[in-house]
Amino acid sequence: MHNINRRSWLTGMAALAVNPALPAIAGEVDPAALRADLPTLRRAYTLLHPGIYRYQTPAQFNAGLDDLASVLEAPASLDTQYLHIARLTAAIKCGHTYGNFYNQSDGVAAQLFERKTRLPFFFTWTGARMVVTDNPLGVDGIVRGSEILSIDGVPVSDIQSTLLPYLRADGSNDAKRRKLLDVQGADAFETFDVFHSLLYPPRRSTLRLRVRKRPESDVRTLNIEPIDRAARLKASPQKTTRDSPDYWTLSFPMPGIAVIKMPGWALYDAKWDWRAKIDDMFQKIAETSVTGLIIDIRENEGGLDCGREILAHLIDEPVSPATDIDRLVRFRSTPEDLRPCLDTWDRSFHHLGEGATDLGNGYFALADDSDAIQPIQPKGPRFKGKVIVLSSAQNSSATFQFIQVMRDLKLASIYGEPTGGNRRGINGGCFFFLRLKNSGLEVDLPLIGQYPKTPQLDTGLLPDVFVFSTIEDIAAERDAVLARAIKDLRG
């Protein structure tokens, strides 16, 4: 469950390597502001965060805070303070722990995220290579498949390496961090836009790009005008939003094959009945001669557990979800002095650990989630053909778990790229929004840690069939993953 924000929800619902040379772009603020917030941050995270020590020791986390306090003795702009917070939270290696773009105050968001610094096209990363996927504004010299080699003299591979330590992801799953740097117009705030602007402030009114128009073409130098967030949103290729049932689509690319495409499951405030939408799609599939089903969730980080409703149409008998995960918290109830800083949509979270089993190691075990452990009951119409799920590093929360269950139950083959998330477990479920009163910054604080009962590798889930899109695929507007899945279903 990513990009959790109070406003959208309520409308319906190992030590830190401090960089003292971070740029001071915005107006100077009280240099002691964030420094004065660090005791609150230290206390809230060490007392409440369930994954704080999953990938680091207490000594490492405290050393990072101490180093940061030392650095902040010098004047620091809001930009610099936000970057320090980003680097500190990224070191926790939790995909739900960061200075959430959507949860900052309007004033902070305007100062940090609204600059006219964005590249005027959409792009993806293949490894450390930046490749244009769409040019809706018609920038001269840029076409789909163009490779951006450098921005203002900095190789894009160096830019990627610089940005990665500031990004949220679970464990050592850098594939997820790189995926966050894609700019496809799917989010109101794009991660690359935010951190590139802060770490590489523009030196002139235009951006100088070195571009290879095609992989075999000569390299050209272009001077282009950057755009602001409003222009980015206007240029977005997204034609439907999660507010519409058309957000999910069912298509039949050829006889006998159906494709369900689900860009997201963050439907807490959806005005449409997503369960009925799933039922309707399977009813339409049943009315055709479909023998192969592709479920495309490559753009989908997670959200609600929509996977249970899909599973219900793929089974003949009730299925009990695996119970090999412990759900742990680090507190019985939150300290009174912290509560004014802890915003949330459900005040009962302050007493989340009451009644939990004390494990004697600083953690409390919650009872199994009553909804999650309920057997999944079969639901008609039942699809009995072959199922392929398309995966990517974007799958890191509910979609990670869905892929894991589909594989465990042998209900589908997984095609594409390794997932985000982590086999060692993730943190989430319930959240506080920790508001730091002096600096005005916010950081998300997940409250429930999922811990496998047996040791696991520090990785995402691997697909059964690896398929990676090449620059040539992108230039030709060829979806290599979907094409391979269709080919294999046709036999």
Side-chain angles (χ1 to χ4, degrees):
M1 187 160 53
H2 295 272
N3 288 343
I4 295 295
N5 73 89
R6 185 175 193 268
R7 279 173 285 188
S8 69
W9 186 291
L10 291 182
T11 56
M13 263 274 25
L16 175 68
V18 175
N19 180 0
L22 290 173
I25 316 161
E28 295 298 319
V29 296
D30 179 358
L34 181 56
R35 194 170 191 272
D37 286 327
L38 293 184
T40 298
L41 181 65
R42 187 192 306 263
R43 184 162 159 75
Y45 269 58
T46 55
L47 290 179
L48 307 178
H49 196 298
I52 188 72
Y53 304 132
R54 199 194 293 261
Y55 297 103
Q56 64 182 338
T57 66
Q60 288 172 323
F61 180 66
N62 284 314
L65 281 165
D66 292 343
D67 288 346
L68 181 50
S70 177
V71 169
L72 290 173
E73 290 178 356
S77 69
L78 184 64
D79 304 56
T80 302
Q81 296 187 50
Y82 182 80
L83 286 168
H84 281 311
I85 283 289
R87 187 127 186 176
L88 180 74
T89 55
I92 297 171
K93 297 185 177 181
C94 167
H96 286 109
T97 301
Y98 75 120
N100 194 325
F101 314 141
Y102 298 85
N103 284 340
Q104 306 305 322
S105 68
D106 291 343
V108 168
Q111 187 167 345
L112 293 177
F113 309 145
E114 298 292 344
R115 298 171 186 149
K116 189 178 179 180
T117 57
R118 291 159 170 80
L119 295 169
F121 47 78
F122 297 102
F123 55 88
T124 189
W125 294 82
T126 62
R129 303 171 74 180
M130 179 189 285
V131 184
V132 175
T133 56
D134 197 8
N135 182 19
L137 299 178
V139 179
D140 288 341
I142 299 287
V143 298
R144 184 182 178 98
S146 293
E147 183 180 358
I148 310 303
L149 303 178
S150 68
I151 303 173
D152 284 340
V154 183
V156 296
S157 58
D158 290 352
I159 292 174
Q160 184 190 89
S161 296
T162 298
L163 268 56
L164 288 182
Y166 295 88
L167 307 185
R168 60 179 176 89
D170 295 294
S172 302
N173 197 338
D174 278 347
K176 171 63 177 181
R177 294 180 176 90
R178 285 190 291 270
K179 192 67 176 176
L180 285 172
L181 295 178
D182 283 0
V183 175
Q184 295 294 297
D187 295 309
F189 296 100
E190 300 278 6
T191 299
F192 179 89
D193 291 341
V194 169
F195 287 105
H196 182 253
S197 172
L198 296 175
L199 288 162
Y200 294 93
R203 292 172 289 181
R204 57 182 71 85
S205 60
T206 59
L207 297 172
R208 188 176 74 255
L209 307 183
R210 290 181 67 248
V211 180
R212 181 179 289 124
K213 194 171 183 179
R214 295 290 189 199
E216 69 277 12
S217 300
D218 293 334
V219 174
R220 301 176 58 190
T221 298
L222 304 177
N223 288 296
I224 64 169
E225 184 176 350
I227 59 175
D228 60 16
R229 190 168 75 93
R232 164 79 81 223
L233 294 173
K234 187 176 181 179
S236 171
Q238 294 288 110
K239 303 305 180 187
T240 58
T241 70
R242 66 193 65 198
D243 297 325
S244 165
D246 293 337
Y247 183 51
W248 291 350
T249 60
L250 171 65
S251 61
F252 301 90
M254 59 182 53
I257 295 177
V259 177
I260 293 175
K261 185 176 178 64
M262 307 172 101
W265 290 351
L267 304 172
Y268 318 102
D269 54 353
K271 302 299 189 296
W272 51 282
D273 188 339
W274 60 266
R275 292 180 177 84
K277 176 72 173 183
I278 292 174
D279 292 344
D280 180 65
M281 288 192 292
F282 276 95
Q283 182 61 46
K284 287 182 169 62
I285 289 170
E287 293 168 357
T288 64
S289 301
V290 170
T291 57
L293 172 62
I294 298 168
I295 302 173
D296 186 355
I297 54 172
R298 286 173 291 173
E299 301 171 20
N300 189 335
E301 278 196 288
L304 300 180
D305 189 5
C306 303
R308 286 179 65 95
E309 295 296 318
I310 297 171
L311 285 164
H313 289 280
L314 303 177
I315 56 177
D316 291 317
E317 299 177 350
V319 170
S320 295
T323 57
D324 57 350
I325 296 287
D326 289 322
R327 301 169 64 244
L328 307 182
V329 298
R330 288 186 53 78
F331 65 98
R332 289 207 183 277
S333 60
T334 56
E336 290 286 347
D337 63 299
L338 282 178
R339 292 184 185 182
C341 304
L342 302 174
D343 194 6
T344 187
W345 66 91
D346 187 339
R347 307 310 291 180
S348 71
F349 294 167
H350 286 290
H351 308 283
L352 192 61
E354 292 183 0
T357 302
D358 188 349
L359 299 181
N361 59 357
Y363 289 85
F364 302 88
L366 297 174
D368 289 333
D369 185 332
S370 58
D371 291 332
I373 65 172
Q374 290 298 317
I376 300 171
Q377 301 295 329
K379 179 187 290 189
R382 160 80 157 89
F383 179 72
K384 297 180 179 292
K386 185 174 181 179
V387 180
I388 292 177
V389 176
L390 307 187
S391 68
S392 81
Q394 192 80 323
N395 308 136
S396 50
S397 188
T399 47
F400 171 93
Q401 294 164 341
F402 172 69
I403 289 171
Q404 193 167 39
V405 171
M406 291 289 279
R407 167 177 286 170
D408 290 347
L409 297 178
K410 296 180 172 55
L411 291 174
S413 298
I414 314 302
Y415 279 46
E417 302 177 10
T419 69
N422 204 286
R423 290 173 59 183
R424 288 187 180 178
I426 60 177
N427 313 298
C430 304
F431 290 80
F432 286 135
F433 313 122
L434 177 61
R435 304 199 179 277
L436 303 174
K437 65 178 182 178
N438 295 292
S439 62
L441 297 172
E442 181 275 349
V443 285
D444 282 7
L445 175 53
L447 303 180
I448 300 176
Q450 296 182 353
Y451 283 83
K453 295 180 186 293
T454 57
Q456 298 292 326
L457 296 175
D458 179 11
T459 66
L461 301 170
L462 301 181
D464 300 304
V465 178
F466 284 79
V467 187
F468 296 91
S469 293
T470 65
I471 294 178
E472 290 76 18
D473 290 329
I474 295 169
E477 298 190 58
R478 181 171 55 241
D479 188 335
V481 184
L482 180 61
R484 173 63 185 274
I486 290 174
K487 175 178 179 291
D488 287 359
L489 286 176
R490 292 179 66 190

